[in-house]
């Protein structure tokens, strides 16, 4: 994120990582069973979510998309390996067909405007996912934190100020989440990598 807590400008510019940070990101992907992004991030960035700057296997690639707006031709679905869309129960077989035709796994979790994240995580667990990396964006990260589904936050602070744009944790209401700093590293001479433990509240346990 930028020094003022943004992951992208209003125009969509989001190049914030240096080489060492990219390496950490790809090491985390290799360590994870699945990497997850929200629909807006998938559409705007079209990420492959593969391991290229570290040694390891590619993780399961997952997108949360309640309205089924992501195209099935995204890079994350076009490369070898399994892709997953998590959506709601509101969509019929015809709407899902274009994804199934490309071998994309469909998880239906909850009814209404938003995916039921707890149901979704249980479904991923049943698929063998034990380590889930949430790579963005800001609204998706906020929702997982709000539901008490995050164990750690790994954040790299980049030496740049945006002034406006998308917040790294982008929610409508205050979250007031307590964190414990586990690790701090200076990268590339000016980037700062922070690893936080999320302190679970009693009502979430």
């Amino acid at each position: 994120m930028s020094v003022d807590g943004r992951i992208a400008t209003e125009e969509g510019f989001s190049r914030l990582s240096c080489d060492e940070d990219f390496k950490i990101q790809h090491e985390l992907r290799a360590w994870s069973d699945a990497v997850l992004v929200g629909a807006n991030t998938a559409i705007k960035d079209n990420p492959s979510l593969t391991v290229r700057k570290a040694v390891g296997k590619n993780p399961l690639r997952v997108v949360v998309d309640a309205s089924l707006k992501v195209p099935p031709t995204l890079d994350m679905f076009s490369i070898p390996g399994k892709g997953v869309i998590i959506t709601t129960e509101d969509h019929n077989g015809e709407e899902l067909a274009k994804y199934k035709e490309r071998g994309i796994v469909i998880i239906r979790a909850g009814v209404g405007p938003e995916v039921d994240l707890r149901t979704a995580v249980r479904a991923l667990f049943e698929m063998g996912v034990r380590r889930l990396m949430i790579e963005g964006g800001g609204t998706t990260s906020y929702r997982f934190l709000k539901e008490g589904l995050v164990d750690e936050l790994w954040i790299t602070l980049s030496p740049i100020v945006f002034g406006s744009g998308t917040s790294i944790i982008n929610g409508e209401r205050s979250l007031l989440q307590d964190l414990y700093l586990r690790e701090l590293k200076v990268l590339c001479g000016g980037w700062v990598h922070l690893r936080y433990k999320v302190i679970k509240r009693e009502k979430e346990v």
Side-chain angles (χ1 to χ4, degrees):
M1 68 177 183
S2 63
V3 170
D4 53 336
R6 311 290 181 172
I7 56 174
T9 64
E10 292 178 354
E11 295 76 24
F13 177 80
S14 60
R15 280 190 164 273
L16 286 165
S17 292
C18 68
D19 288 342
E20 287 181 59
D21 185 49
F22 274 128
K23 187 171 186 296
I24 291 173
Q25 179 190 39
H26 285 243
E27 287 172 345
L28 270 174
R29 287 180 182 176
W31 178 78
S32 303
D33 299 309
V35 177
L36 180 148
V37 295
N40 289 336
T41 297
I43 293 169
K44 289 178 182 177
D45 297 347
N46 192 20
S48 66
L49 304 182
T50 56
V51 176
R52 302 182 302 281
K53 297 180 181 293
V55 176
K57 63 180 180 62
N58 289 330
L60 194 70
R61 297 178 292 279
V62 185
V63 59
V64 176
D65 183 8
S67 60
L68 280 186
K69 61 185 178 181
V70 298
T73 54
L74 288 176
D75 287 350
M76 62 184 289
F77 300 137
S78 302
I79 55 180
K82 189 175 291 185
V84 178
I85 285 184
I86 301 174
T87 190
T88 66
E89 298 278 358
D90 303 316
H91 304 287
N92 58 40
E94 185 177 344
E95 293 175 292
L96 299 173
K98 61 183 179 181
Y99 300 103
K100 292 182 178 179
E101 287 170 2
R102 294 185 65 90
I104 300 168
V105 176
I106 309 292
I107 293 176
R108 302 171 78 175
V111 177
E114 292 187 338
V115 165
D116 182 331
L117 294 182
R118 289 185 174 273
T119 299
V121 167
R122 283 194 293 270
L124 289 172
F125 186 87
E126 291 172 3
M127 293 176 63
V129 174
R130 299 297 180 269
R131 293 170 177 161
L132 175 63
M133 177 183 178
I134 301 160
E135 200 164 305
T139 302
T140 300
S141 298
Y142 170 85
R143 288 199 61 220
F144 271 88
L145 273 168
K146 182 182 176 184
E147 292 295 323
L149 296 171
V150 179
D151 296 307
E152 290 191 346
L153 282 177
W154 293 47
I155 298 171
T156 297
L157 186 66
S158 304
I160 187 171
V161 172
F162 282 168
S164 64
T166 304
S167 173
I168 187 171
I169 307 295
N170 192 33
E172 295 179 357
R173 298 182 179 180
S174 298
L175 195 58
L176 300 177
Q177 176 64 64
D178 297 321
L179 305 173
Y180 172 78
L181 182 62
R182 280 186 163 172
E183 188 178 18
L184 183 153
K185 292 180 182 178
V186 177
L187 310 175
C188 306
W191 282 252
V192 179
H193 182 69
L194 305 162
R195 179 184 175 189
Y196 290 101
K197 176 183 177 182
V198 176
I199 300 174
K200 302 288 185 177
R201 297 179 181 175
E202 187 174 342
K203 65 178 181 180
E204 298 171 349
V205 175

